[in-house]
């Protein structure tokens, strides 16, 4: 299957700062990438769907001005958490989706802790 | 709106025994995909098995098989000959025709030696 990497794997930041998380498709050109967040002991919640070269589609309740998603190339999508607050602390996971068989390939995730 | 329900927050199975994890979903669509993903302590999501809704035959992958009941909107996962490495969180997931994925709340599987 496809290989997806995320960077950084963990980050600690101060409240009010912005944090950028990168998601890279290492062996596949992904036209569609997905961003999820997962709180401790909870399920994955889809935040947005990112298509290369176009604006991301955000799920209801997700602030697009706070969670900026850029998918400038077929191999890179970024999620920027702007003006982070402690309640934004979570595990963020990206994935790339394949058309046809419907499978997703997940990155290893990024743990964000906002102090 | 589509929903995915996993009613078993936690399950235990003896090593080498068989366990079944339940999943139900709700959708008005006829063409979709269903998945079981495993999330070990490393948090890396791993695909266990997938099922296309248009296929009546239940998917199998080695020790893993599903019981797909389309009319009942049920999609259970059976793990045979359970191994210690099977211990993880298991998520049932639905993919809509519009490519939207919805995950259930997960079932934590413990494997007892």
């Amino acid at each position: 299957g496809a290989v997806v990497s995320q960077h950084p794997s963990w980050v600690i930041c101060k409240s009010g700062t912005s944090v950028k998380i990168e998601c890279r498709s290492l062996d596949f050109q992904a036209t569609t990438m997905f961003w999820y967040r997962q709180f401790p002991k909870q399920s994955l919640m889809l935040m947005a769907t990112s298509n290369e070269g176009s604006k991301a589609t955000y799920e209801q309740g997700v602030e697009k001005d706070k969670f900026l998603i850029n998918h400038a190339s077929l191999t890179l999508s970024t999620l920027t958490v702007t003006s982070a607050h402690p309640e934004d602390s979570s595990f963020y996971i990206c994935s790339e989706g394949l058309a046809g068989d419907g499978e997703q390939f997940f990155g290893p995730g990024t743990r964000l802790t906002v102090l | 709106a589509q929903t995915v329900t996993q009613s078993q927050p936690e399950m235990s199975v003896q090593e080498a025994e068989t366990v079944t994890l339940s999943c139900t979903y709700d959708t008005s669509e006829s063409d979709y995909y269903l998945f079981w993903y495993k999330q070990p302590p490393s948090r890396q999501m791993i695909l266990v098995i997938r099922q296309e809704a248009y296929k009546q035959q239940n998917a199998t992958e080695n020790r893993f098989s599903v019981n797909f009941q389309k009319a009942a909107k049920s999609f259970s996962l059976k793990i045979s000959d359970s191994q210690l490495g099977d211990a993880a969180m298991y998520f049932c997931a639905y993919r809509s025709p519009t490519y939207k994925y919805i995950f259930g709340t997960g079932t934590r599987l413990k494997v007892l030696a």
Side-chain angles (χ1 to χ4, degrees):
Chain A
V3 179
V4 179
S5 70
Q6 277 184 245
H7 178 80
S9 56
W10 60 270
V11 57
I12 302 173
C13 69
K14 294 182 178 180
S15 184
T17 61
S18 294
V19 175
K20 179 184 285 188
I21 301 170
E22 292 186 348
C23 177
R24 290 184 183 275
S25 175
L26 299 182
D27 59 354
F28 182 79
Q29 292 185 327
T31 55
T32 303
M33 284 186 164
F34 305 89
W35 285 96
Y36 296 87
R37 67 187 299 180
Q38 185 180 29
F39 290 109
K41 299 184 178 180
Q42 294 190 23
S43 186
L44 280 71
M45 298 300 294
L46 180 65
M47 299 175 67
T49 302
S50 166
N51 291 296
E52 187 265 338
S54 63
K55 291 183 178 180
T57 302
Y58 290 81
E59 294 300 304
Q60 191 174 7
V62 177
E63 299 176 59
K64 61 180 66 177
D65 294 330
K66 181 170 186 60
F67 299 99
L68 302 179
I69 292 173
N70 183 279
H71 193 165
S73 77
L74 289 172
T75 58
L76 175 64
S77 178
T78 60
L79 167 67
T80 301
V81 183
T82 62
S83 187
H85 288 93
E87 56 266 30
D88 298 323
S89 298
S90 186
F91 194 66
Y92 292 87
I93 306 174
C94 71
S95 74
E96 63 180 32
L98 292 179
D101 68 1
E103 184 174 348
Q104 288 188 91
F105 297 97
F106 288 86
T110 297
R111 180 175 301 282
L112 170 64
T113 301
V114 184
L115 302 177
Chain B
Q2 297 98 345
T3 59
V4 177
T5 302
Q6 292 179 250
S7 60
Q8 306 154 316
E10 189 171 295
M11 293 282 285
S12 296
V13 62
Q14 205 70 34
E15 195 175 6
E17 297 295 311
T18 296
V19 65
T20 299
L21 308 184
S22 300
C23 174
T24 59
Y25 60 95
D26 190 23
T27 182
S28 58
E29 303 289 347
S30 59
D31 185 22
Y32 49 87
Y33 289 88
L34 295 165
F35 305 86
W36 279 97
Y37 282 92
K38 170 184 176 180
Q39 188 180 44
S42 67
R43 307 292 290 274
Q44 174 73 58
M45 296 286 283
I46 302 167
L47 176 66
V48 175
I49 199 166
R50 66 170 172 262
Q51 174 82 42
E52 294 91 335
Y54 65 86
K55 289 187 177 179
Q56 292 186 332
Q57 187 173 9
N58 289 323
T60 62
E61 286 289 340
N62 301 313
R63 298 183 295 107
F64 300 88
S65 62
V66 298
N67 183 3
F68 174 48
Q69 301 291 327
K70 190 172 184 179
K73 297 189 173 77
S74 171
F75 183 61
S76 60
L77 173 69
K78 185 171 82 171
I79 306 174
S80 304
D81 186 25
S82 297
Q83 301 174 359
L84 294 177
D86 295 334
M89 281 291 289
Y90 285 82
F91 291 98
C92 177
Y94 164 96
R95 196 211 88 171
S96 74
T98 56
Y99 220 16
K100 180 174 179 178
Y101 291 83
I102 300 170
F103 286 80
T105 51
T107 297
R108 179 170 300 281
L109 178 65
K110 295 183 176 181
V111 181
L112 308 174

